[in-house]
Amino acid sequence: MSATEPVLVPLEYQEEELTTLIGPDWADRLLHAYRWMVLGRTLDARMLGLQRQGRIGFYGPATGQEAVSVGAWMVSKPQDWIFPGLREQLLALARGHSLTTYLHHLFANDLDPARGRQMPCHPTAREVHYVSMSSVIGTQISQAVGTAYALRHKRDPSVAFAFFGDGATSSNDFHAGLNLAGVLDLPVVFCCTNNQWAISVPVERQSAVAHLSEKATAYGMPGATVDGTDVVAVFASLNGAAEKARSGHGPTMLEFVLYRMTPHSSSDDPTRYQAKDWMARAQAHDPVRRLEDLLARRGALDEAKRALIALDADGEVRGAIATAEKVGPPLSESLTTDVLASPPAPAGTGSDGS
Ligand SMILES: Cc1ncc(C[n+]2csc(CCOP(=O)(O)OP(=O)(O)O)c2C)c(N)n1
């Protein structure tokens, strides 16, 4: 075995612990979680491939971060609000956003809800309370806090979940958002997906603290660092923080430490800045394989079931691609649809004859 060959770090939960942390139906719930994680993983691989073939313009994978999106799906309620960072598309899908609609968006075709006017891979899913992703790092944090303020004003018991990367903890919006949430004790769960990179900047060059969750103290709220590649730990920590927010006891910041297992995006070449053993370290903490291994050891998953889940995910993704690729680009007449309340008359039809 070479020095850099990955050895999976196992999840060591016993049945009693899983029953306590998740419930007596832990096996069904974790199997469902596993299905979503496999779908996310399959989607990323296919989409990066399509981008390389020139069939879609851009893609931002979430490989290595699946446990956080899926853990948040297990915890969040339909009426809660999701403010994603750059890699929570799987959460939108698990909450009920159609995979085919997401593919329409990636192809920027006529059925793309944004009609090709949004950056690709920046879905919006209003029907599942999933706010459009912003490319501007950190802005969603203060938007989530504003929403939480409105929820409390309306006596709505929902929670706002704000997702952001390690790089975003250096943004103005991080400070403004956490500060206000702390002062007003708002129902927000701050979810930092620390994948240890902000494009080419490693987390140790981003911040001088040992754990990003320490920053919560400065804003008067609890913070915790959690293994973000362990879906059970993600679920348990998010569940506690969401219940606390829902019952009026204010915000929490959770830092999920995980590993970015792909380039930052389809426009990036990490071999120019990552150490040669990075991927082996990442693979040892692969959240999909860790859950697969746990389910197999606890008797909830066998090889036949695993193969079927992989096949289903592949079929689902291929089907959505085939449907979306048949749809043409947005019509030029749609340029101002959904943009202006009263679209101007086309040129040449104005009352002044222009
Ligand atoms: C305000 C702002 N500054 C810089 C950028 C360029 N940029 C795009 S992604 C990115 C890194 C983000 O890193 P992180 O917050 O850790 O999220 P990750 O990509 O790791 O999920 C940067 C600096 C930007 N989009 N917005």
Side-chain angles (χ1 to χ4, degrees), residues 61 65 85-88 134-139 164-169 171 193-201 206 260 264:
Q65 307 199 181
L86 301 181
R87 305 176 199 281
E88 279 70 41
S134 164
S135 261
V136 187
I137 297 301
T139 50
F164 49 90
D166 39 295
T169 64
S171 71
T193 51
N194 176 6
N195 66 12
Q196 310 182 46
W197 295 96
I199 312 184
S200 57
V201 179
Q206 189 71 239
R260 203 186 79 199
H264 168 78

Short mmCIF file of all heavy atoms in Angstrom, two decimals, residues 61 65 85-88 134-139 164-169 171 193-201 206 260 264, ligand 1:
data_model
loop_
_atom_site.label_atom_id
_atom_site.label_comp_id
_atom_site.label_asym_id
_atom_site.label_seq_id
_atom_site.Cartn_x
_atom_site.Cartn_y
_atom_site.Cartn_z
N PRO A 61 -19.31 21.68 -7.99
CA PRO A 61 -19.65 20.42 -7.30
C PRO A 61 -19.68 20.57 -5.78
O PRO A 61 -19.08 21.48 -5.22
CB PRO A 61 -18.53 19.49 -7.72
CG PRO A 61 -17.38 20.38 -8.05
CD PRO A 61 -17.95 21.69 -8.52
N GLN A 65 -19.31 17.18 0.54
CA GLN A 65 -20.12 18.01 1.43
C GLN A 65 -21.56 17.49 1.54
O GLN A 65 -22.43 18.17 2.10
CB GLN A 65 -20.11 19.46 0.92
CG GLN A 65 -18.70 19.98 0.73
CD GLN A 65 -18.57 21.49 0.66
OE1 GLN A 65 -17.46 21.99 0.48
NE2 GLN A 65 -19.65 22.22 0.81
N GLY A 85 -25.06 28.53 0.65
CA GLY A 85 -23.76 29.05 0.24
C GLY A 85 -23.56 28.64 -1.22
O GLY A 85 -24.47 28.78 -2.04
N LEU A 86 -22.40 28.06 -1.52
CA LEU A 86 -22.13 27.71 -2.91
C LEU A 86 -22.47 26.26 -3.24
O LEU A 86 -22.43 25.87 -4.40
CB LEU A 86 -20.65 27.95 -3.24
CG LEU A 86 -20.13 29.37 -3.04
CD1 LEU A 86 -18.66 29.46 -3.43
CD2 LEU A 86 -20.94 30.37 -3.83
N ARG A 87 -22.82 25.43 -2.21
CA ARG A 87 -22.85 23.98 -2.51
C ARG A 87 -23.98 23.23 -1.81
O ARG A 87 -23.79 22.14 -1.28
CB ARG A 87 -21.49 23.36 -2.11
CG ARG A 87 -20.34 24.08 -2.76
CD ARG A 87 -18.98 23.59 -2.34
NE ARG A 87 -17.99 24.61 -2.68
CZ ARG A 87 -17.49 24.81 -3.88
NH1 ARG A 87 -17.86 24.04 -4.88
NH2 ARG A 87 -16.62 25.79 -4.11
N GLU A 88 -25.16 23.82 -1.80
CA GLU A 88 -26.27 23.15 -1.09
C GLU A 88 -27.39 22.71 -2.02
O GLU A 88 -28.53 22.51 -1.61
CB GLU A 88 -26.83 24.08 0.00
CG GLU A 88 -26.01 24.10 1.27
CD GLU A 88 -24.67 24.77 1.14
OE1 GLU A 88 -24.61 25.83 0.46
OE2 GLU A 88 -23.66 24.24 1.66
N SER A 134 -26.25 33.20 -4.08
CA SER A 134 -25.57 34.41 -4.52
C SER A 134 -24.10 34.09 -4.72
O SER A 134 -23.49 33.42 -3.90
CB SER A 134 -25.71 35.49 -3.46
OG SER A 134 -24.79 36.52 -3.68
N SER A 135 -23.54 34.60 -5.83
CA SER A 135 -22.10 34.40 -6.03
C SER A 135 -21.29 35.29 -5.10
O SER A 135 -20.11 35.03 -4.87
CB SER A 135 -21.71 34.76 -7.47
OG SER A 135 -21.62 33.60 -8.25
N VAL A 136 -21.90 36.33 -4.60
CA VAL A 136 -21.16 37.30 -3.79
C VAL A 136 -21.03 36.71 -2.38
O VAL A 136 -22.00 36.56 -1.67
CB VAL A 136 -21.89 38.66 -3.76
CG1 VAL A 136 -21.03 39.69 -3.05
CG2 VAL A 136 -22.24 39.10 -5.18
N ILE A 137 -19.81 36.37 -2.05
CA ILE A 137 -19.57 35.57 -0.84
C ILE A 137 -20.10 36.28 0.41
O ILE A 137 -19.73 37.41 0.70
CB ILE A 137 -18.06 35.28 -0.71
CG1 ILE A 137 -17.57 34.43 -1.89
CG2 ILE A 137 -17.73 34.60 0.62
CD1 ILE A 137 -18.27 33.11 -2.05
N GLY A 138 -20.94 35.58 1.16
CA GLY A 138 -21.39 36.05 2.48
C GLY A 138 -22.72 36.78 2.50
O GLY A 138 -23.34 36.88 3.56
N THR A 139 -23.19 37.28 1.36
CA THR A 139 -24.39 38.14 1.39
C THR A 139 -25.62 37.40 1.94
O THR A 139 -26.50 38.01 2.54
CB THR A 139 -24.72 38.69 -0.01
OG1 THR A 139 -24.73 37.60 -0.94
CG2 THR A 139 -23.72 39.72 -0.47
N PHE A 164 -22.59 28.76 4.53
CA PHE A 164 -21.48 29.53 3.97
C PHE A 164 -20.19 28.76 4.17
O PHE A 164 -20.12 27.89 5.05
CB PHE A 164 -21.40 30.93 4.63
CG PHE A 164 -21.44 30.89 6.13
CD1 PHE A 164 -20.28 30.78 6.88
CD2 PHE A 164 -22.66 30.93 6.80
CE1 PHE A 164 -20.33 30.72 8.27
CE2 PHE A 164 -22.72 30.85 8.20
CZ PHE A 164 -21.56 30.75 8.93
N GLY A 165 -19.20 29.09 3.37
CA GLY A 165 -17.93 28.38 3.46
C GLY A 165 -16.99 29.03 4.47
O GLY A 165 -17.31 30.07 5.06
N ASP A 166 -15.83 28.41 4.65
CA ASP A 166 -14.83 28.96 5.57
C ASP A 166 -14.38 30.35 5.11
O ASP A 166 -14.19 31.26 5.92
CB ASP A 166 -13.62 28.01 5.69
CG ASP A 166 -13.23 27.37 4.37
OD1 ASP A 166 -14.04 26.59 3.82
OD2 ASP A 166 -12.11 27.66 3.88
N GLY A 167 -14.26 30.55 3.79
CA GLY A 167 -13.83 31.85 3.28
C GLY A 167 -14.82 32.94 3.66
O GLY A 167 -14.43 34.09 3.95
N ALA A 168 -16.10 32.60 3.68
CA ALA A 168 -17.14 33.59 3.98
C ALA A 168 -17.06 34.10 5.41
O ALA A 168 -17.61 35.16 5.72
CB ALA A 168 -18.52 32.99 3.70
N THR A 169 -16.36 33.37 6.30
CA THR A 169 -16.26 33.86 7.68
C THR A 169 -15.37 35.10 7.77
O THR A 169 -15.28 35.72 8.82
CB THR A 169 -15.74 32.78 8.66
OG1 THR A 169 -14.39 32.44 8.30
CG2 THR A 169 -16.60 31.53 8.64
N SER A 171 -15.96 37.62 5.68
CA SER A 171 -16.71 38.67 4.97
C SER A 171 -17.39 39.63 5.93
O SER A 171 -17.65 39.30 7.09
CB SER A 171 -17.77 38.02 4.06
OG SER A 171 -18.82 37.46 4.84
N THR A 193 -19.69 25.46 6.26
CA THR A 193 -19.12 24.25 5.65
C THR A 193 -17.63 24.53 5.42
O THR A 193 -17.24 25.11 4.42
CB THR A 193 -19.82 23.90 4.33
OG1 THR A 193 -19.85 25.06 3.50
CG2 THR A 193 -21.24 23.41 4.56
N ASN A 194 -16.84 24.12 6.40
CA ASN A 194 -15.39 24.37 6.32
C ASN A 194 -14.74 23.25 5.51
O ASN A 194 -14.33 22.24 6.06
CB ASN A 194 -14.81 24.45 7.74
CG ASN A 194 -13.29 24.61 7.71
OD1 ASN A 194 -12.68 24.77 6.63
ND2 ASN A 194 -12.67 24.57 8.87
N ASN A 195 -14.67 23.48 4.19
CA ASN A 195 -14.03 22.47 3.33
C ASN A 195 -12.53 22.72 3.20
O ASN A 195 -11.87 22.13 2.35
CB ASN A 195 -14.73 22.39 1.96
CG ASN A 195 -14.56 23.65 1.15
OD1 ASN A 195 -13.75 24.52 1.47
ND2 ASN A 195 -15.31 23.77 0.06
N GLN A 196 -12.03 23.63 4.04
CA GLN A 196 -10.60 23.91 4.22
C GLN A 196 -9.96 24.69 3.08
O GLN A 196 -8.75 24.89 3.08
CB GLN A 196 -9.83 22.60 4.51
CG GLN A 196 -10.51 21.81 5.64
CD GLN A 196 -9.77 20.54 6.00
OE1 GLN A 196 -8.55 20.54 6.16
NE2 GLN A 196 -10.48 19.43 6.13
N TRP A 197 -10.79 25.12 2.12
CA TRP A 197 -10.27 25.92 1.01
C TRP A 197 -11.26 27.01 0.62
O TRP A 197 -12.46 26.76 0.60
CB TRP A 197 -10.03 25.04 -0.24
CG TRP A 197 -8.98 24.01 -0.05
CD1 TRP A 197 -9.16 22.71 0.31
CD2 TRP A 197 -7.56 24.21 -0.18
NE1 TRP A 197 -7.95 22.07 0.41
CE2 TRP A 197 -6.94 22.97 0.11
CE3 TRP A 197 -6.75 25.30 -0.52
CZ2 TRP A 197 -5.56 22.80 0.08
CZ3 TRP A 197 -5.37 25.12 -0.55
CH2 TRP A 197 -4.80 23.89 -0.26
N ALA A 198 -10.74 28.17 0.29
CA ALA A 198 -11.53 29.21 -0.38
C ALA A 198 -10.84 29.40 -1.74
O ALA A 198 -9.84 30.12 -1.85
CB ALA A 198 -11.52 30.51 0.41
N ILE A 199 -11.29 28.70 -2.71
CA ILE A 199 -10.58 28.45 -3.97
C ILE A 199 -9.16 27.97 -3.61
O ILE A 199 -9.03 26.87 -3.10
CB ILE A 199 -10.60 29.65 -4.95
CG1 ILE A 199 -12.04 30.21 -5.09
CG2 ILE A 199 -10.09 29.18 -6.33
CD1 ILE A 199 -12.19 31.33 -6.11
N SER A 200 -8.14 28.82 -3.78
CA SER A 200 -6.77 28.36 -3.53
C SER A 200 -6.23 28.75 -2.16
O SER A 200 -5.08 28.44 -1.84
CB SER A 200 -5.84 28.92 -4.62
OG SER A 200 -5.95 30.33 -4.62
N VAL A 201 -7.04 29.44 -1.35
CA VAL A 201 -6.55 29.90 -0.05
C VAL A 201 -6.91 28.87 1.02
O VAL A 201 -8.09 28.61 1.27
CB VAL A 201 -7.16 31.28 0.31
CG1 VAL A 201 -6.67 31.74 1.69
CG2 VAL A 201 -6.82 32.32 -0.75
N GLN A 206 -6.77 31.86 6.16
CA GLN A 206 -8.02 32.61 6.17
C GLN A 206 -8.27 33.22 7.54
O GLN A 206 -8.82 34.31 7.65
CB GLN A 206 -9.17 31.65 5.83
CG GLN A 206 -10.51 32.28 5.57
CD GLN A 206 -10.55 33.02 4.26
OE1 GLN A 206 -10.82 34.21 4.25
NE2 GLN A 206 -10.26 32.34 3.16
N ARG A 260 -12.97 19.22 0.62
CA ARG A 260 -13.40 19.48 -0.76
C ARG A 260 -12.74 18.42 -1.64
O ARG A 260 -11.54 18.38 -1.77
CB ARG A 260 -12.96 20.89 -1.18
CG ARG A 260 -13.79 21.45 -2.31
CD ARG A 260 -13.23 22.78 -2.78
NE ARG A 260 -12.08 22.56 -3.64
CZ ARG A 260 -11.16 23.49 -3.91
NH1 ARG A 260 -11.25 24.69 -3.40
NH2 ARG A 260 -10.16 23.21 -4.72
N HIS A 264 -12.65 23.61 -6.98
CA HIS A 264 -13.60 24.62 -6.50
C HIS A 264 -14.81 24.70 -7.43
O HIS A 264 -15.95 24.76 -6.98
CB HIS A 264 -12.89 25.99 -6.43
CG HIS A 264 -13.82 27.13 -6.22
ND1 HIS A 264 -14.35 27.44 -4.98
CD2 HIS A 264 -14.33 28.04 -7.09
CE1 HIS A 264 -15.15 28.49 -5.10
NE2 HIS A 264 -15.16 28.86 -6.36
C1 LIG B 1 -17.37 39.19 -2.05
C2 LIG B 1 -16.65 38.19 -2.92
N1 LIG B 1 -15.30 38.14 -2.90
C3 LIG B 1 -14.64 37.25 -3.68
C4 LIG B 1 -15.32 36.39 -4.50
C5 LIG B 1 -14.58 35.37 -5.39
N2 LIG B 1 -14.81 34.04 -4.82
C6 LIG B 1 -15.71 33.19 -5.38
S1 LIG B 1 -15.81 31.73 -4.54
C7 LIG B 1 -14.63 32.23 -3.45
C8 LIG B 1 -14.17 31.32 -2.34
C9 LIG B 1 -15.25 31.01 -1.37
O1 LIG B 1 -14.74 30.16 -0.39
P1 LIG B 1 -15.62 29.62 0.77
O2 LIG B 1 -16.46 30.71 1.35
O3 LIG B 1 -14.74 28.88 1.68
O4 LIG B 1 -16.64 28.63 0.04
P2 LIG B 1 -16.30 27.32 -0.79
O5 LIG B 1 -16.07 27.75 -2.21
O6 LIG B 1 -15.12 26.67 -0.21
O7 LIG B 1 -17.55 26.49 -0.69
C10 LIG B 1 -14.17 33.52 -3.74
C11 LIG B 1 -13.12 34.22 -2.97
C12 LIG B 1 -16.72 36.50 -4.52
N3 LIG B 1 -17.47 35.70 -5.28
N4 LIG B 1 -17.37 37.38 -3.71
#
